[in-house]
Amino acid sequence: MSKEKTVTIDEIVNREYKYGFKTDIKPGMTIKGLSEDTIRFISAHKEEPEWMLEFRLKAFRHWQTMKEPEWANVHYPPIDFQEVIYYSEPELEKKKLQSMDEVDPELKRTFDKLGISLVEQKKLANVAVDAIFDSVSVATTFKEKLKEAGVIFCSFSEAVKEYPELIKKYMGTVVPYTDNYYAALNSAVFTDGSFVYIPKNTRCPMELSSYFRINTENSGQFERTLIICEDNSHVSYLEGCTAPKFDTNQLHAAIVELVAMESSEIKYSTVQNWYAGDKETGKGGIYNFVTKRGKCQGAYSKISWTQIETGSAITWKYPSCILLGDHSVGEFYSVALTVGYQQADTGTKMIHVGKNTRSRIISKGISAGKSSNSYRGLVQIGKNAENARNFTQCDSLLIGDTCGAHTFPYIDVQNSSAQLEHEATTSTISDDQLFYFLSRGIGSEDAMTTIINGFCKSVFKELPMEFAVEATQLLGLKLEGTVG
Amino acid sequence: MLSIKDLTATIADKQILKGINLEVKAGEVHAIMGPNGSGKSTLAKVLAGAPHIQEAKGEVLFEGKPLLDMAPEDRALAGVFMAFQYPVEVPGVNNASFLRMAYNARLKAAGKEEVDPLEFDELLIEKSKIVEIPEHFLDRAVNHGFSGGEKKRNEILQMAVLDPKLALLDETDSGLDVDALRIVAGGINRLRSKDKAIILVTHYQRILDYIQPDFVHILFDGRIIKSGDKSLALEVEEQGFENIKAG
């Protein structure tokens, strides 16, 4: 007479990856292996000016002198950089696209399936999108409307041609190519990305969004994003990422640089859902090695990072803020969910240089399955950073008993007027908690989603409205299982 | 309403319930009393479908349906409710939203239209008066940072909102001071009706001063060793469980 238990927590966290489909668009051209020739090809193919090629080559030569970092709490076999495809563009009509109507219908369908409409005025009516497929930006919506406001939003390749002065002035000033191994690699071989420029006294009239999709097996995606916000301006930017299921691990090494001038504000949100790889082995998942950094250059400027990290076999990223301007503010809100065999080592760096600078770190790590989830953060208060303040809160939620959560907070204070607070908690979703919901007639999947959303609430409320719902659903989806 | 025959249950390889027989009809209030470790709470948990119960055997019919074959959420949707001895904290989940989820789950299962937050708020404010819960209480996270008494009151509020046919109250009186006990018991009394049944699990006679049971059962070592009316509870109070067993 004894009944089977309806559904275990384990079953709930095992679910299929929804975006694992592959689009049947043949890459028009792929370049495999890394050498100066590869870099010269990419640069020539993109019709780049000489200075850009020089930048790439300098980065490459520097990269050759560097060693792959091993300090992160992640484990994977060495990457063979000669097996990576450094350039892959979808086979498209050679002519330049005049309007959205000319985008390949198959590509359009792909992005539709991902919930990203490339047709303007459809769906997210107040969000401009730059869609990047493998190595190439395929479409940017609402360009004209943004132009009226003086806002530049285009692919990085286009910006190199159209706005070379801005690129020369800012590229590599926040993340120099010497910064780290993957930053050097990206600087050598980056293929596309997004560029945003908000002129003085301008509030960007809509949310800006980039959507990254890796479609070709073995291809690396190396994109670069540069956002500049002039005095008294404001922009909110969101990036989303997915990839099909592959048998081999894919490399994603991106750079994001933000520059905020006096009294300006940049809000950068990420919903990362790269394929996480096989549930049992992690095979085929994305290696996500990303360098993201913002510079609060002007007084009273503010940079706010919000990230929802749910995908990738390995995540290695620390969106950071350099608080140069007096009274500048840096924020980092993160939810990192790892299931199966995923490994995440993520956190932030808050570098206080200016006086009266403030930073706030809220990190929520959720681990399930056999995954490993680490928070790594640095709060550094410089000699001249009078009255700097930081508040850090680091919470870990464990689901089941085979996963791991770790925190590595580093604090370096050189000015005695600083005030720092650090709070940390570790909790679990227990069968008791789940039963409490069940005993009230609430099903186990709704229960898990509700408990996790409750845990992540303080981060979700930082997301732009349109995406808060998406993020909530995404977490639900990640934890979705077959009942019975 | 509820018919239990030869119910046995095992937790961690230890048999806790060793053959329980009990009939509960609509409108009745049954008090289950017994010393620590007698299996009182296990009985309530087995009926609600709690985890950690290794094996439960026997025939348990709830309105004619075999209860042990039903998933815990289905038991809840069918009208079984358990007020927890130790209500679980759920940080970040709003108390009012949680109650609305549970309320809507029930409406949905009954094929009815779900209610929106505004409609539900009216109902909730009405119900919260039953256990004298102030409104700001509803905006806090479920049981998070609640005092012991507040948690117990919150359980009875849930009972009021979900309006179950069969309520299992697992030591709802433990840890309450006199005032809180009066409020909680008053709430339970207001929820009594001729088409509903209550099983009250308790150590002490104390709560029975407020809630008059129709039947009292003494549970000892996994079996009901004596049943009677409310005077049995007073006997326990005077003589202790051991003497009742010996007698």
Side-chain angles (χ1 to χ4, degrees):
Chain A
M1 286 292 282
S2 166
K3 52 132 206 88
E4 293 295 310
K5 225 179 116 193
T6 34
V7 58
T8 65
I9 287 171
D10 257 5
E11 283 162 347
I12 296 171
V13 296
N14 284 323
R15 75 291 156 251
E16 288 302 309
Y17 182 63
K18 189 183 166 192
Y19 305 105
F21 65 89
K22 194 174 174 222
T23 307
D24 197 16
I25 290 183
K26 288 201 175 54
M29 185 186 321
T30 57
I31 304 295
K32 195 172 168 180
L34 185 54
S35 66
E36 289 209 2
D37 286 345
T38 300
I39 291 161
R40 283 179 199 282
F41 167 81
I42 293 171
S43 190
H45 187 72
K46 297 179 93 64
E47 298 166 6
E48 285 178 354
E50 190 60 27
W51 56 265
M52 187 51 95
L53 177 62
E54 282 308 311
F55 176 86
R56 288 174 178 278
L57 291 173
K58 263 196 282 181
F60 178 61
R61 287 167 197 147
H62 186 76
W63 178 76
Q64 286 175 310
T65 68
M66 299 173 93
K67 268 216 169 90
E68 206 174 333
E70 283 168 357
W71 47 263
N73 187 25
V74 294
H75 307 279
Y76 56 95
I79 298 169
D80 184 348
F81 289 94
Q82 296 310 328
E83 282 301 310
V84 175
I85 292 173
Y86 287 90
Y87 191 80
S88 164
E89 64 173 21
E91 195 167 49
L92 301 169
E93 299 274 336
K94 289 282 170 275
K95 68 176 171 64
K96 217 177 160 203
L97 297 176
Q98 293 308 309
S99 80
M100 279 307 140
D101 303 337
E102 293 174 39
V103 174
D104 185 301
E106 189 62 36
L107 255 182
K108 235 192 261 183
R109 269 196 295 278
T110 302
F111 281 98
D112 276 347
K113 247 167 140 175
L114 298 169
I116 311 292
S117 178
L118 299 182
V119 182
E120 293 185 9
Q121 258 90 32
K122 214 176 134 193
K123 209 172 171 194
L124 297 173
N126 201 32
V127 181
V129 178
D130 185 21
I132 295 168
F133 195 84
D134 283 348
S135 306
V136 186
S137 164
V138 290
T140 310
T141 61
F142 290 110
K143 255 180 170 165
E144 290 310 309
K145 192 176 168 196
L146 289 167
K147 220 174 208 169
E148 282 168 33
V151 171
I152 302 170
F153 179 39
C154 64
S155 74
F156 202 88
S157 312
E158 198 179 330
V160 170
K161 283 178 208 155
E162 308 285 329
Y163 312 102
E165 293 315 310
L166 286 172
I167 298 289
K168 268 200 250 182
K169 187 171 170 192
Y170 292 106
M171 183 181 67
T173 58
V174 188
V175 181
Y177 64 80
T178 51
D179 191 81
N180 69 68
Y181 190 76
Y182 295 105
L185 179 65
N186 173 287
S187 301
V189 300
F190 73 90
T191 43
D192 218 327
S194 304
F195 175 72
V196 176
Y197 178 81
I198 315 287
K200 273 186 190 178
N201 307 318
T202 307
R203 203 180 164 89
C204 186
M206 54 177 74
E207 296 281 340
L208 302 183
S209 167
S210 281
Y211 199 84
F212 300 100
R213 173 84 177 164
I214 298 179
N215 198 58
T216 306
E217 178 139 23
N218 283 325
S219 72
Q221 193 171 50
F222 304 96
E223 85 275 358
R224 255 193 116 91
T225 300
L226 176 58
I227 299 177
I228 300 146
C229 213
E230 296 282 12
D231 295 356
N232 290 314
S233 292
H234 178 281
V235 67
S236 170
Y237 181 93
L238 182 125
E239 61 171 9
C241 343
T242 59
K245 286 181 181 176
F246 290 123
D247 294 330
T248 51
N249 294 90
Q250 316 283 306
L251 179 61
H252 174 249
I255 288 184
V256 175
E257 294 181 284
L258 312 181
V259 181
M261 299 302 188
E262 199 175 312
S263 302
S264 70
E265 182 179 344
I266 302 176
K267 191 171 167 60
Y268 194 104
S269 315
T270 304
V271 176
Q272 187 264 105
N273 187 22
W274 295 118
Y275 178 49
D278 186 87
K279 267 173 247 167
E280 295 303 317
T281 60
K283 226 173 91 179
I286 303 282
Y287 289 166
N288 190 32
F289 302 141
V290 174
T291 308
K292 291 181 168 179
R293 198 172 300 154
K295 189 155 75 172
C296 283
Q297 179 106 35
Y300 296 97
S301 58
K302 178 176 173 184
I303 288 178
S304 180
W305 298 100
T306 305
Q307 60 172 20
I308 311 297
E309 300 284 324
T310 66
S312 298
I314 297 178
T315 298
W316 180 98
K317 64 178 277 200
Y318 315 91
S320 306
C321 297
I322 302 169
L323 304 169
L324 274 181
D326 293 346
H327 304 277
S328 61
V329 177
E331 291 176 338
F332 175 74
Y333 299 98
S334 170
V335 167
L337 169 70
T338 53
V339 301
Y341 262 82
Q342 281 179 280
Q343 306 175 59
D345 192 307
T346 183
T348 184
K349 288 190 274 187
M350 292 291 173
I351 313 292
H352 292 253
V353 182
K355 294 179 179 60
N356 301 309
T357 46
R358 283 179 294 139
S359 63
R360 185 179 174 81
I361 299 169
I362 310 283
S363 164
K364 304 275 181 180
I366 304 158
S367 353
K370 296 193 165 63
S371 68
S372 157
N373 202 327
S374 302
Y375 167 81
R376 187 183 302 276
L378 168 69
V379 177
Q380 191 177 62
I381 312 288
K383 271 204 304 285
N384 302 319
E386 293 289 327
N387 299 315
R389 298 185 65 165
N390 164 266
F391 173 78
T392 300
Q393 188 184 341
C394 242
D395 297 328
S396 306
L397 184 67
L398 300 164
I399 304 172
D401 55 8
T402 52
C403 54
H406 316 267
T407 47
F408 304 98
Y410 304 88
I411 293 172
D412 172 15
V413 179
Q414 318 237 354
N415 185 308
S416 59
S417 64
Q419 280 185 48
L420 280 78
E421 287 172 74
H422 186 103
E423 288 179 8
T425 65
T426 304
S427 52
T428 57
I429 293 189
S430 57
D431 282 335
D432 286 339
Q433 223 171 16
L434 199 56
F435 174 59
Y436 196 59
F437 279 76
L438 296 179
S439 76
R440 301 303 182 244
I442 301 166
S444 34
E445 286 183 10
D446 284 343
M448 288 282 272
T449 310
T450 307
I451 293 168
I452 288 172
N453 279 327
F455 177 73
C456 302
K457 202 168 165 186
S458 52
V459 173
F460 283 170
K461 71 177 175 41
E462 297 300 324
L463 281 175
M465 189 82 113
E466 291 89 335
F467 300 104
V469 180
E470 198 181 304
T472 309
Q473 285 169 348
L474 178 63
L475 282 200
L477 208 70
K478 278 290 278 193
L479 294 164
E480 197 170 87
T482 43
V483 180
Chain B
M1 176 180 285
L2 181 73
S3 160
I4 302 175
K5 284 195 186 105
D6 295 324
L7 177 64
T8 59
T10 312
I11 300 176
D13 292 330
K14 199 179 166 210
Q15 194 174 37
I16 307 291
L17 299 183
K18 299 176 178 172
I20 302 276
N21 293 287
L22 186 65
E23 292 287 329
V24 178
K25 294 194 179 69
E28 294 176 351
V29 174
H30 291 245
I32 310 274
M33 300 184 74
N36 289 326
S38 59
K40 308 184 298 294
S41 286
T42 302
L43 176 60
K45 284 177 185 155
V46 166
L47 296 178
H52 312 309
I53 307 275
Q54 213 173 337
E55 197 174 36
K57 282 187 187 159
E59 190 186 64
V60 179
L61 295 176
F62 174 66
E63 296 192 312
K65 285 174 287 187
L67 195 66
L68 298 183
D69 290 347
M70 294 162 75
E73 61 270 38
D74 294 333
R75 300 182 197 194
L77 296 175
V80 177
F81 175 89
M82 179 169 84
F84 281 50
Q85 182 181 2
Y86 303 109
V88 181
E89 299 197 4
V90 194
V93 176
N94 178 278
N95 205 15
S97 313
F98 175 75
L99 277 163
R100 185 162 52 88
M101 268 181 91
Y103 187 73
N104 275 336
R106 188 154 300 197
L107 288 178
K108 205 173 154 191
K112 290 182 195 152
E113 189 99 356
E114 298 181 27
V115 295
D116 63 36
L118 282 179
E119 287 174 77
F120 184 69
D121 256 11
E122 279 178 40
L123 174 97
L124 192 53
I125 287 166
E126 190 59 39
K127 299 288 184 187
S128 50
K129 285 175 190 153
I130 294 178
V131 271
E132 301 178 30
I133 278 177
E135 275 180 47
H136 66 83
F137 206 83
L138 302 169
D139 274 332
R140 287 162 61 184
V142 179
N143 295 325
H144 188 58
F146 284 26
S147 72
E150 285 174 331
K151 283 181 184 171
K152 295 294 174 74
R153 266 151 78 180
N154 203 27
E155 293 292 292
I156 303 307
L157 170 64
Q158 293 182 20
M159 176 177 160
V161 169
L162 298 177
D163 195 24
K165 291 175 190 156
L166 173 66
L168 311 162
L169 308 180
D170 188 6
E171 300 198 21
T172 298
D173 54 336
S174 66
L176 294 183
D177 60 36
V178 184
D179 293 333
L181 182 65
R182 183 186 46 76
I183 292 170
V184 165
I188 295 167
N189 276 332
R190 251 168 282 176
L191 297 172
R192 275 178 89 156
S193 81
K194 63 179 187 326
D195 51 358
K196 293 187 184 113
I198 294 173
I199 295 178
L200 194 71
V201 171
T202 181
H203 275 296
Y204 306 108
Q205 201 286 124
R206 200 169 65 140
I207 192 170
L208 304 180
D209 289 340
Y210 299 93
I211 303 169
Q212 305 280 324
D214 300 299
F215 300 94
V216 175
H217 310 277
I218 309 299
L219 199 61
F220 206 95
D221 192 24
R223 289 188 184 89
I224 291 176
I225 53 159
K226 198 167 186 183
S227 296
D229 59 15
K230 66 175 201 272
S231 60
L232 183 56
L234 294 168
E235 251 177 77
V236 169
E237 187 81 348
E238 284 163 21
Q239 305 174 15
F241 291 115
E242 285 292 341
N243 285 324
I244 296 232
K245 192 193 170 217

